[in-house]
Amino acid sequence: MLALGYDQYVTQGGDWGFKVTRAVGHFYPKHCLASHINLVLAKKPARSAEQEEPTYTEGEKAGLVRTDWFAQEGFGYNLLQSTKPSTIGFALADSPVALLAWIYEKLHDWSDAYPWTDDEILTWVCMYQFARAGPAASARIYYEVQHPKNEAKHAFATGYIPEVKLGVSIFPRDIYVPPVAWAKQLGPVVFEGVHTEGGHFAAHEKPELLAGDLRKMFGEGGGAFDVADKFRA
């Protein structure tokens, strides 16, 4: 961002954007003034033996069930791409049908009964099929993240970043759906948006909800209004 001429900015991300957003905040906290994420990879807070187990709402319990489902039944693609990216890469590059199956499975399983049209599905698939790097390139990032040259460089993603204001939006059919209180493990939370509909592809499925959360976070009276106000000066 500095190379592009942006000295101060805010970030927003879901999916891989979660790690990118977290990296920017960790390495450039004087420049990244606030972050908003809609994939909240927050760990369960530690508690002492004397502390009682927290009470969760029905929605939060359902979110934990959804999270467990993904870990047990939906994570296979990640294991393959993290360990043998070239194996699946050859299949994706060679067969449009394989690529369609590989992508559509996620669109179907990770969304909240979104009514995907043929044109939408083909548009998503074509972004992989006709990319200059080819569809196999999409698997490589999983391998690189799981085989870093410096383990410490990736620990920040789920750690506490103290200097960057944080906003979170949680959608019930995402692939990781923690209780919203867990988000406080990631940084100084100034906005929480918990929704009753929407999934992993919130920006596509429910753009009005995601954009609304950003307006609330950075708008007048929001937890990051002071940040937005700096850009108006």
Side-chain angles (χ1 to χ4, degrees), residues 94-168:
D94 179 68
S95 171
V97 174
L99 179 61
L100 173 61
W102 197 252
I103 299 301
Y104 181 66
E105 172 196 280
K106 283 75 176 173
L107 298 180
H108 177 273
D109 289 356
W110 298 359
S111 60
D112 188 9
Y114 181 80
W116 296 99
T117 66
D118 290 348
D119 280 349
E120 285 176 311
I121 295 166
L122 291 174
T123 297
W124 281 68
V125 172
C126 285
M127 287 191 292
Y128 292 82
Q129 178 69 30
F130 301 121
R132 178 174 295 181
S138 63
R140 190 71 194 181
I141 189 173
Y142 291 82
Y143 181 87
E144 298 294 346
V145 165
Q146 293 302 321
H147 299 80
K149 294 180 179 179
N150 184 343
E151 289 288 346
K153 287 185 177 180
H154 297 281
F156 61 80
T158 55
Y160 192 86
I161 299 177
E163 298 179 63
V164 181
K165 290 188 174 184
L166 180 65
V168 300

Side-chain angles (χ1 to χ4, degrees), residues 23-231:
V24 172
H26 175 76
F27 290 110
Y28 302 98
K30 301 301 182 185
H31 303 279
C32 180
L33 304 184
S35 292
H36 177 276
I37 51 177
N38 60 284
L39 175 62
V40 186
L41 297 179
K43 298 178 180 178
K44 182 179 181 179
R47 65 185 182 88
S48 67
E50 291 76 26
Q51 292 177 306
E52 294 184 2
E53 182 72 20
T55 301
Y56 298 125
T57 67
E58 291 304 310
E60 289 173 333
K61 291 176 183 177
L64 292 173
V65 171
R66 171 71 171 176
T67 301
D68 185 64
W69 166 83
F70 177 73
Q72 299 297 323
E73 302 291 340
F75 201 68
Y77 81 100
N78 194 305
L79 293 175
L80 180 56
Q81 294 182 168
S82 297
T83 55
K84 302 295 182 183
S86 294
T87 303
I88 184 61
F90 283 123
L92 300 181
D94 179 68
S95 171
V97 174
L99 179 61
L100 173 61
W102 197 252
I103 299 301
Y104 181 66
E105 172 196 280
K106 283 75 176 173
L107 298 180
H108 177 273
D109 289 356
W110 298 359
S111 60
D112 188 9
Y114 181 80
W116 296 99
T117 66
D118 290 348
D119 280 349
E120 285 176 311
I121 295 166
L122 291 174
T123 297
W124 281 68
V125 172
C126 285
M127 287 191 292
Y128 292 82
Q129 178 69 30
F130 301 121
R132 178 174 295 181
S138 63
R140 190 71 194 181
I141 189 173
Y142 291 82
Y143 181 87
E144 298 294 346
V145 165
Q146 293 302 321
H147 299 80
K149 294 180 179 179
N150 184 343
E151 289 288 346
K153 287 185 177 180
H154 297 281
F156 61 80
T158 55
Y160 192 86
I161 299 177
E163 298 179 63
V164 181
K165 290 188 174 184
L166 180 65
V168 300
S169 293
I170 294 178
F171 293 87
R173 301 301 290 175
D174 207 335
I175 58 178
Y176 190 89
V177 191
V180 68
W182 293 15
K184 293 181 174 63
Q185 301 291 104
L186 300 176
V189 175
V190 299
F191 174 81
E192 298 173 351
V194 180
H195 299 281
T196 58
E197 55 184 348
H200 186 66
F201 309 103
H204 190 90
E205 296 176 67
K206 298 292 179 181
E208 70 285 355
L209 296 182
L210 186 58
D213 283 354
L214 292 170
R215 292 190 182 100
K216 292 175 185 176
M217 177 177 172
F218 292 101
E220 189 169 358
F225 177 71
D226 61 320
V227 172
D229 207 37
K230 290 183 179 181
F231 297 108

